[in-house]
Amino acid sequence: MRYSELLLPTLKETPTEAEVVSHRLLLRAGFIRKLTSGIYTYLPLGLAAIRKVEQIVREEMNRAGAQELLMPMVQPADLWKESGRWEKYGPELLRFTDRHERESCLGPTHEEVITDLVRREIHSYRNLPVNLYQIQTKFRDEIRPRFGLMRGREFIMKDGYSFDATEKGAELTYQKMYNAYSRIFMRCGLSFRAVEADTGTIGGSFSHEFMVLADTGEDTLAICKDCAYAANMEKAAVKPFEKTGEETELLPLKKVETPGKKKVEKVCDFLGISPKQLVKTMVYLADGDPVAVLVRGDHEVQPVKLKNMLGAIEVELADEKQVFDITGVPSGYLGPIGLDIPVAADQVVSAMANFTAGANEKNFHLQNINFPRDFQVFQVADLRQVTEEDSCPSCGGGLELTKGIEVGHIFKLGDSYSKALNATFQDGSSEEQNFIMGCYGIGVSRTVAAAIEQNHDDNGIIFPLPLAPFQVIILNLDPKNKEISSAAESLYAQLQHEGMEVLIDDRDERPGIKFKDADLIGIPNRVTVGKRFAQEGEVEIRKRRDGQTQSLPLDKAMAEIVESIRHEMAATKE
Ligand code: ATP
Ligand code: MG
């Protein structure tokens, strides 16, 4: 491809609306343009990177025995009503009516449509298992679309669905998908971890998220330093609490004035205690109903654990006004004694002695509170987030918290959809059985953004070779010079002949601009043909990642690049 003919509108300025690196660089490098909130056009290079991810995904899904199909984006409400999700899905589902007043929605995911297809087409265990996938634009009316391709309203997803006759078969399929996903992200050249994920109300240990490790990730992962344990914070269990057996003398309750001290640190400083001796009372709305959760001062509530414990669809932290409306107490002074709403306690709180908490009265706290002497709760459970002070729930080793970006999610669904949609097949004894399903998603467009979050420097993107829109860029530094141009052109032709993906910068621009743009768009290999070629017959090859350069005669440079690309691509497939 010739740069002079390419729609590649790079920007010198950093776009102000972009908060994260991948968003900034995707805009600056001319890969995407925003149409409206959360909705982007993929320009040629942006699309090229997306196609690279898609190709790897296809190859590995096919290799694992899955088949590609393509389902409609517009889906009838009736199917969603059958599964019960028309009510449950919430405002992320974009609903509309057509000219015949038929209710429809734009597909955010396709469990209903695929289950409907399979219940119509597959009737016998002989035709199972079957694993079907598509790569398609999804629409989710996200409450806060942000970070460019990271959280769009419209985005490209690979979604796959498997149907098995038995639990055992479904577990085998799950394992196959786990392996396929591991290969996919390895082949993308990304540093990633598969972590145990929350399975919501379905339960079981068959859900993994594939996380690209990057400091800017929205998710936090707990990874064991000693064993293979890795889990999303939403799921990471705190090791069951062991009482020390030490007897502490329970002191009488004491009310103390804490004027204007609302925050944990302020109260602790004022009273001369550690946050480990204080209990925070957090009010949540679980499907609209208030519930208070007690956690130690230095701990945080994990809302997903709370949601699962309550069996709620959504839990949300109440804001100050809501807290006041519900309890009549200004936030900061809440405590468990005499609180008029259901109270749950984290397991750690249940073992604390003589702790401090709000007195449910402005400017006052209570000290020497003890459970169950002074108050009741409806449940004691693991409701908090793990910290680096906790130990691994699997081996007891040390935990490390790190940030990640969720690029894939695999999930054993069981028969929840096949039951709801009455999707059955005949087993070996002619009995009707529900299909055992699994679903498997990859955020294709998000993977490109995540690759950039993980691989960039001050000058721009540093694409992993397998995702780069081009493998090599040739800079013709002086298109008007015949000798230089013919060398650059012959290199261009020969590299293409060798099957390399090449971009040649043949623009009539200053060398400085060409160097800057080449760095910005992140092409892994650069060949510069300039003055040095005219003088010494050498061109410079340079690796974008480590800046390593070599000056070589044309033919040697050509051989070196081809060899290096073939070698590196082969390594990602091992
Ligand atoms: P998240 O927690 O980030 O909202 P999710 O759990 O809703 O993700 P899934 O329903 O499992 O996501 O979708 C499969 C994959 O699609 C995710 O792993 C992610 O990579 C991608 N994805 C989900 N929502 C978006 C979005 N708004 N923009 C881009 N990619 C997305
Ligand atoms: Mg989501």
Side-chain angles (χ1 to χ4, degrees):
M1 190 78 215
R2 292 180 181 282
Y3 204 137
S4 58
E5 294 166 5
L6 190 60
L7 178 61
L8 182 48
T10 57
L11 307 173
K12 280 202 203 73
E13 305 295 321
T14 302
T16 47
E17 83 253 34
E19 295 165 52
V20 297
V21 149
S22 63
H23 190 191
R24 278 199 292 275
L25 288 176
L26 283 164
L27 288 169
R28 275 195 60 206
F31 280 47
I32 60 168
R33 286 295 181 261
K34 177 164 142 182
L35 178 62
T36 182
S37 168
I39 300 183
Y40 292 86
T41 296
Y42 309 110
L43 273 59
L45 257 63
L47 186 62
I50 282 172
R51 292 279 185 256
K52 287 284 176 88
V53 177
E54 289 181 357
Q55 186 55 27
I56 294 171
V57 168
R58 276 200 179 93
E59 286 175 20
E60 293 302 328
M61 290 300 291
N62 294 349
R63 179 213 278 267
Q67 304 168 54
E68 185 170 2
L69 46 56
L70 187 57
M71 289 178 268
M73 195 181 166
V74 172
Q75 307 184 5
D78 288 346
L79 265 182
W80 286 71
K81 288 180 179 163
E82 240 187 297
S83 74
R85 286 210 291 184
W86 188 252
E87 282 76 36
K88 273 194 216 150
Y89 207 90
E92 268 187 32
L93 187 66
L94 186 65
R95 302 154 209 249
F96 55 93
T97 31
D98 64 17
R99 64 166 77 194
H100 302 294
E101 297 294 314
R102 284 180 296 229
E103 287 179 300
S104 307
C105 62
L106 284 187
T109 174
H110 280 64
E111 282 82 4
E112 281 80 0
V113 177
I114 196 86
T115 309
D116 179 57
L117 178 80
V118 168
R119 76 177 165 183
R120 288 168 196 273
E121 306 304 331
I122 296 183
H123 303 289
S124 162
Y125 73 97
R126 288 193 194 86
N127 302 318
L128 296 176
V130 60
N131 193 347
L132 303 161
Y133 76 96
Q134 63 175 346
I135 298 177
Q136 190 204 38
T137 298
K138 292 284 182 283
F139 193 92
R140 292 182 182 181
D141 206 354
E142 296 274 355
I143 183 165
R144 269 184 294 280
R146 57 192 169 153
F147 306 155
L149 298 191
M150 212 77 112
R151 186 170 296 284
R153 292 199 295 156
E154 212 181 275
F155 58 96
I156 300 175
M157 197 204 284
K158 186 284 294 184
D159 47 326
Y161 308 88
S162 65
F163 296 80
D164 269 271
T166 60
E167 284 290 335
K168 226 174 156 185
E171 283 164 24
L172 206 69
T173 303
Y174 184 89
Q175 198 54 49
K176 271 194 196 163
M177 285 296 104
Y178 182 99
N179 295 341
Y181 272 45
S182 301
R183 283 186 58 84
I184 286 168
F185 295 113
M186 185 187 74
R187 282 190 55 191
C188 287
L190 299 170
S191 159
F192 70 97
R193 276 302 276 261
V195 303
E196 281 181 27
D198 172 53
T199 46
T201 43
I202 291 176
S205 60
F206 289 97
S207 175
H208 284 87
E209 285 166 348
F210 286 75
M211 297 281 187
V212 164
L213 304 179
D215 299 338
T216 48
E218 281 188 283
D219 287 278
T220 307
L221 329 175
I223 294 177
C224 179
K225 292 179 196 159
D226 302 320
C227 76
Y229 180 82
N232 191 316
M233 278 287 259
E234 293 176 351
K235 152 110 186 176
V238 173
K239 244 185 126 197
F241 196 77
E242 284 158 27
K243 288 204 170 155
T244 53
E246 260 176 54
E247 284 293 321
T248 319
E249 190 195 344
L250 304 189
L251 303 173
L253 271 181
K254 189 168 91 181
K255 189 164 157 184
V256 288
E257 202 170 352
T258 47
K261 312 292 178 217
K262 299 186 359 170
K263 292 245 150 55
V264 170
E265 311 86 68
K266 291 257 163 72
V267 179
C268 289
D269 279 354
F270 185 74
L271 296 174
I273 58 172
S274 132
K276 290 188 163 66
Q277 295 165 277
L278 186 109
V279 164
K280 292 192 281 199
T281 307
M282 311 298 292
V283 177
Y284 282 82
L285 295 170
D287 301 331
D289 296 328
V291 51
V293 184
L294 308 177
V295 286
R296 204 170 74 185
D298 59 330
H299 289 157
E300 299 300 333
V301 177
Q302 173 42 253
V304 173
K305 288 184 181 175
L306 177 66
K307 185 177 92 169
N308 291 343
M309 180 193 84
L310 297 169
I313 295 170
E314 217 171 70
V315 300
E316 223 186 333
L317 187 63
D319 63 29
E320 286 197 16
K321 183 176 177 308
Q322 288 168 323
V323 168
F324 187 75
D325 289 348
I326 293 163
T327 64
V329 180
S331 74
Y333 301 101
L334 283 178
I337 301 181
L339 198 57
D340 223 8
I341 54 175
V343 180
D346 178 57
Q347 53 181 0
V348 172
V349 171
S350 70
M352 286 167 70
N354 301 323
F355 64 80
T356 299
N360 290 326
E361 184 181 333
K362 193 174 174 185
N363 295 338
F364 285 95
H365 277 73
L366 285 173
Q367 295 202 286
N368 302 332
I369 303 176
N370 288 284
F371 173 80
R373 184 191 72 181
D374 301 323
F375 65 97
Q376 301 300 310
V377 300
F378 73 92
Q379 182 113 22
V380 174
D382 169 18
L383 293 174
R384 72 172 172 96
Q385 235 144 236
V386 292
T387 69
E388 287 189 332
E389 286 178 19
D390 287 304
S391 44
C392 168
S394 176
C395 76
L399 282 184
E400 190 179 3
L401 302 185
T402 138
K403 293 278 180 193
I405 300 164
E406 180 195 327
V407 287
H409 192 175
I410 59 177
F411 204 107
K412 181 164 165 273
L413 287 169
D415 60 6
S416 50
Y417 286 93
S418 56
K419 268 203 174 130
L421 293 173
N422 195 22
T424 62
F425 63 93
Q426 279 194 350
D427 68 12
S429 17
S430 298
E431 298 274 343
E432 291 292 324
Q433 302 281 358
N434 287 112
F435 297 99
I436 314 290
M437 292 172 59
C439 68
Y440 317 96
I442 290 183
V444 172
S445 42
R446 185 186 281 181
T447 298
V448 172
I452 297 173
E453 291 292 334
Q454 191 178 71
N455 301 280
H456 65 269
D457 63 14
D458 289 346
N459 299 324
I461 304 169
I462 307 177
F463 268 113
L465 186 60
L467 301 190
F470 293 97
Q471 297 167 326
V472 198
I473 181 167
I474 301 171
L475 304 188
N476 177 351
L477 289 192
D478 192 355
K480 294 204 183 84
N481 178 312
K482 275 214 180 102
E483 200 183 352
I484 290 174
S485 288
S486 81
E489 291 294 333
S490 105
L491 194 62
Y492 179 52
Q494 286 181 60
L495 283 170
Q496 281 185 315
H497 183 74
E498 290 292 331
M500 302 293 114
E501 296 158 0
V502 200
L503 175 65
I504 181 165
D505 192 346
D506 55 346
R507 291 176 301 168
D508 188 14
E509 289 284 2
R510 285 186 290 113
I513 288 181
K514 295 189 179 183
F515 287 126
K516 275 212 163 65
D517 280 338
D519 274 359
L520 179 59
I521 64 178
I523 309 303
N525 298 284
R526 186 184 86 188
V527 196
T528 307
V529 190
K531 258 197 216 111
R532 199 187 184 113
F533 182 75
Q535 288 159 0
E536 296 163 40
E538 286 193 342
V539 299
E540 182 199 79
I541 62 179
R542 177 175 180 269
K543 292 272 178 210
R544 173 70 180 90
R545 190 170 291 278
D546 57 12
Q548 230 181 51
T549 57
Q550 264 178 292
S551 281
L552 295 170
L554 209 53
D555 53 340
K556 287 235 169 65
M558 146 95 192
E560 173 66 31
I561 289 167
V562 172
E563 163 63 22
S564 140
I565 288 172
R566 287 200 178 131
H567 181 79
E568 208 177 316
M569 287 304 290
T572 63
K573 291 186 187 170
E574 268 161 16

